[in-house]
Amino acid sequence: MVYKKITLVAIVLSIIAAITCNFVLGVEVDENIGVETPEMLNNSTLNVLILIQRYSWPIVTLVFIYALYQFYVIGSEVLEHKILGQRLIVGISIFMVIIQCLPLMYAFLIV
């Protein structure tokens, strides 16, 4: 894979950003699927960004599995699918970094 380093760095950054966001913002998920943030960050936009951050992992995992299927299984026979799978893998990893960093960037902008 040509973009292996970029993909690995992006995946590691998205995991670090998810952990950092939960640690820095002190986010707790309520039993009614509500998000409890500290008083000075009590904002509905931040709550939506945190919910998107938290529940994007299962969806992205399924899309990532499909991209790996395109790259390794179908791509071994057809070069076009291999290129498409590689683009999907890199795009998904970069998209996850952006999604995971959005609540932190928004919180630092409003504070």
Side-chain angles (χ1 to χ4, degrees):
M1 180 183 250
V2 178
Y3 301 107
K4 186 175 182 179
K5 289 181 184 178
I6 294 172
T7 304
L8 289 176
V9 168
I11 291 172
V12 168
L13 280 176
S14 65
I15 292 171
I16 290 172
I19 293 170
T20 305
C21 181
N22 288 334
F23 181 71
V24 169
L25 297 178
V27 177
E28 297 178 7
V29 176
D30 193 9
E31 53 194 47
N32 297 327
I33 309 192
V35 177
E36 294 182 15
T37 54
E39 290 296 323
M40 65 187 216
L41 295 175
N42 196 2
N43 192 345
S44 62
T45 306
L46 182 63
N47 292 339
V48 169
L49 288 175
I50 291 171
L51 286 175
I52 290 172
Q53 176 198 24
R54 179 152 306 172
Y55 295 111
S56 67
W57 283 102
I59 296 168
V60 168
T61 303
L62 292 175
V63 176
F64 197 72
I65 290 171
Y66 173 73
L68 289 173
Y69 174 75
Q70 284 273 341
F71 183 73
Y72 286 112
V73 177
I74 299 174
S76 64
E77 297 175 3
V78 181
L79 181 63
E80 182 179 325
H81 288 284
K82 189 168 190 159
I83 294 170
L84 178 67
Q86 183 176 0
R87 286 182 187 170
L88 278 172
I89 291 170
V90 174
I92 291 165
S93 59
I94 293 172
F95 176 75
M96 276 307 289
V97 170
I98 293 169
I99 291 296
Q100 297 302 316
C101 291
L102 276 178
L104 282 174
M105 289 188 295
Y106 182 76
F108 288 133
L109 286 176
I110 63 172
V111 170

